[in-house]
Amino acid sequence: MTHEPDPRRWKALAVSLTAGFMGLLDVSIVNVALPSMQAGLHASSGGIRWVVSGYALAFGLVLVTGGRLGDAFGRRNMFLGALAAFVVTSALAGAAPNETTLVIARLAQGVAAGMLTPQNTGLIQDLFRGAERGRAFGMFGAVVGISTAVGPILGGAIIAAFGAQDGWRWVFYVNVPIGVLAFALALRLLPRSEKKRLRLRSEIDFAGIVLLAIAVLGVLLPVVESDNHGLARLWWLFPVALVFGAAFAWWEHRVSRRGRTPLLDTRLFTGTPGYAAGAAVGALYFCGFAGIWLVFAMFFQQGLGYSPLQSGLSVTPFALGSAVSAAVAGRLVPRLGRLLTVTGLAVVALGLLVVALLAELVPPAASGWAFALPLLFAGVGGGMVISPNTTLTLECVPVRMAGVAGGALQTGQRIGTAIGTAVLASVFGAVVGAGLAYPIALTVALCCAAAMTCGALALAIAELRARRQRASVEEREKREAETSAADIQRG
């Protein structure tokens, strides 16, 4: 049976990526708005920290579950429900009268975004085939990278437009009209899901959901509380996470052997070429990549006295480089493959090290201009990492597991984001707290980010070699088969 492509598939993709962009943007857009929130609500530093951390925590906890629900009950239904919830919770966050209400709204918003994001990868698997699927995944990867990079810029621009006292509210309100428009378009353009009877006990692995949630929570909670001595107080959650992670893997294998549908099919990691390595590359890269934006915000705003808008504009070159190279890299994946991510990771690491060096050499007042060229260079590399890595990691995933595979990939990236942000911000704060200058703190933090990026580079090089070995074996087997067929014909 031949696959008839949906004539509206590219329009549907544009709508789904717009919604996905909003959810991913809200991971980083609030970084530059934190001082405005704290002043406007007279909030504590701990409560404001949970505005960022709570969203990331809730987002990461539900990604795999959201992907599985989309696989089971239809992407369109899950997409529309999650998008509606995201719009409502964004409005609640913007209207929050106090710190507690804002934190609760952000937790709910994170759950909605976590349910929404994996539907994008699932829809791409459903709607596209062959080279088109590669292009679509390239666009999705570009959205992931660009949304993280442009968050500080948009956040700063919104606060400049609406004022420091209440400008932070519009960081959330801006999602409402965009989300309503995306919902209306999605109703028209997204393909209708097959009607299924909701057999919850057979379709949804509730035990797997609980085990995975505890494992992810055990990793993320100490990390997001690191500024409040979370690593010292909650260190015991790491072994708990290890135990529950092992229990989750055992349980999922058991569910598969019994012929039921697991939450996360372990064959994704053992039987899908390139998936495990690509997920690891993405998680480790996000440790270094996502954490630098909070560090830059602290350096420019606290260290140099920049406004949120000036702080955001100072990192604009990275976003511009990433946007351009991601668009180009998406088209080069079929030809260059994993070599793209290897090159991109090397470029990012080099760009960050140059910025770290310049922080020591140039006067602080000239930092914004001095950093522009190396940040542009690093951004070009960043665009060559996320988009191609997403495409290569998901290219061999069966359609029936598309949602959960995308959710698992994003979960690794969210965990990487949380760990990287906490580690780099803690390093920066520790250096400043020791009485050293802000430029030194930035240098140390960026060297840590570059080291994490080099770790991802080492994994990507290993995966490149593995791919070449697989291709060599396949080519040899093909030649042997052709030779055998020719011998049979001659005989």
Side-chain angles (χ1 to χ4, degrees), residues 31-36 152 156 159 293-312 438:
N31 285 336
V32 297
L34 295 182
S36 174
I159 291 172
W293 308 118
L294 182 55
V295 167
F296 275 124
M298 291 190 294
F299 172 75
F300 285 120
Q301 292 186 53
Q302 297 174 10
L304 303 186
Y306 282 21
S307 70
L309 178 58
Q310 290 173 318
S311 174
Y438 277 91

Side-chain angles (χ1 to χ4, degrees), residues 17 28 35 70 81 84 87 96 115 169 183 230 232 267 278 310 312-313 317 343 373 376 381 404 414 430 436 451 469:
L17 291 184
S28 63
V87 170
M115 290 288 182
R169 296 186 182 277
F183 188 92
R267 287 171 294 185
Q310 290 173 318
L313 289 174
T343 305
L373 190 59
L376 178 66
V404 74
R414 292 310 110 210
L436 298 175
Q469 288 174 354

Side-chain angles (χ1 to χ4, degrees), residues 165-184:
Q165 185 70 15
D166 289 320
W168 66 268
R169 296 186 182 277
W170 290 93
V171 168
F172 302 117
Y173 283 149
V174 73
N175 292 330
V176 176
I178 299 172
V180 169
L181 178 61
F183 188 92

Side-chain angles (χ1 to χ4, degrees), residues 445-472:
L446 289 181
C447 286
C448 291
M452 295 174 185
T453 305
C454 287
L457 175 60
L459 290 176
I461 291 172
E463 163 61 4
L464 175 61
R465 289 175 176 170
R467 280 178 173 266
R468 287 176 173 173
Q469 288 174 354
R470 287 197 301 269
S472 177

Side-chain angles (χ1 to χ4, degrees), residues 305-340:
Y306 282 21
S307 70
L309 178 58
Q310 290 173 318
S311 174
L313 289 174
S314 297
V315 296
T316 299
F318 190 105
L320 292 175
S322 181
V324 173
S325 68
V328 176
R331 298 179 180 275
L332 295 177
V333 173
R335 187 147 49 99
L336 299 179
R338 183 58 72 183
L339 184 61
L340 268 175

Side-chain angles (χ1 to χ4, degrees), residues 1-277:
M1 179 178 174
T2 58
H3 171 76
E4 287 295 330
D6 190 318
R8 299 180 299 179
R9 61 194 180 281
W10 291 107
K11 293 179 180 178
L13 178 66
V15 172
S16 71
L17 291 184
T18 299
F21 180 84
M22 288 193 302
L24 293 164
L25 183 70
D26 268 49
V27 176
S28 63
I29 194 173
V30 298
N31 285 336
V32 297
L34 295 182
S36 174
M37 288 179 200
Q38 195 161 4
L41 291 177
H42 307 290
S44 66
S45 59
I48 288 301
R49 184 176 60 251
W50 268 93
V51 171
V52 178
S53 302
Y55 183 85
L57 181 63
F59 196 128
L61 278 174
V62 303
L63 277 163
V64 175
T65 302
R68 179 69 196 103
L69 290 172
D71 290 341
F73 302 138
R75 323 253 186 244
R76 185 178 191 270
N77 298 332
M78 283 299 301
F79 182 93
L80 292 172
L83 178 56
F86 185 79
V87 170
V88 171
T89 52
S90 294
L92 291 175
N98 53 52
E99 170 188 321
T100 302
T101 305
L102 178 58
V103 171
I104 292 172
R106 279 289 280 175
L107 287 168
Q109 190 189 29
V111 170
M115 290 288 182
L116 178 65
T117 299
Q119 310 317 321
N120 282 294
T121 54
L123 283 166
I124 289 171
Q125 293 280 54
D126 286 347
L127 292 173
F128 298 94
R129 296 290 185 272
E132 280 194 345
R133 182 181 289 178
R135 287 175 55 199
F137 272 132
M139 294 171 68
F140 172 71
V143 164
V144 173
I146 294 169
S147 62
T148 306
V150 303
I153 306 165
L154 292 180
I158 290 170
I159 291 172
F162 292 98
Q165 185 70 15
D166 289 320
W168 66 268
R169 296 186 182 277
W170 290 93
V171 168
F172 302 117
Y173 283 149
V174 73
N175 292 330
V176 176
I178 299 172
V180 169
L181 178 61
F183 188 92
L185 292 173
L187 277 174
R188 290 186 54 202
L189 296 172
L190 293 190
R192 293 193 174 275
S193 311
E194 280 185 42
K195 291 186 180 287
K196 296 185 180 182
R197 296 181 61 186
L198 303 187
R199 303 187 302 275
L200 291 181
R201 290 192 62 182
S202 61
E203 291 281 1
I204 302 301
D205 176 15
F206 289 105
I209 290 172
V210 173
L211 290 171
L212 180 62
I214 295 174
V216 174
L217 185 66
V219 174
L220 287 179
L221 189 57
V223 171
V224 300
E225 279 284 283
S226 62
D227 287 349
N228 193 29
H229 309 292
L231 294 176
R233 290 186 298 107
L234 302 172
W235 63 267
W236 54 272
L237 281 175
F238 289 120
V240 169
L242 186 63
V243 170
F244 275 87
F248 172 74
W250 170 81
W251 174 258
E252 296 303 283
H253 185 63
R254 181 173 179 266
V255 169
S256 296
R257 279 187 298 136
R258 291 191 167 192
R260 293 177 54 205
T261 305
L263 176 67
L264 179 59
D265 197 322
T266 54
R267 287 171 294 185
L268 270 175
F269 298 92
T270 59
T272 305
Y275 184 83

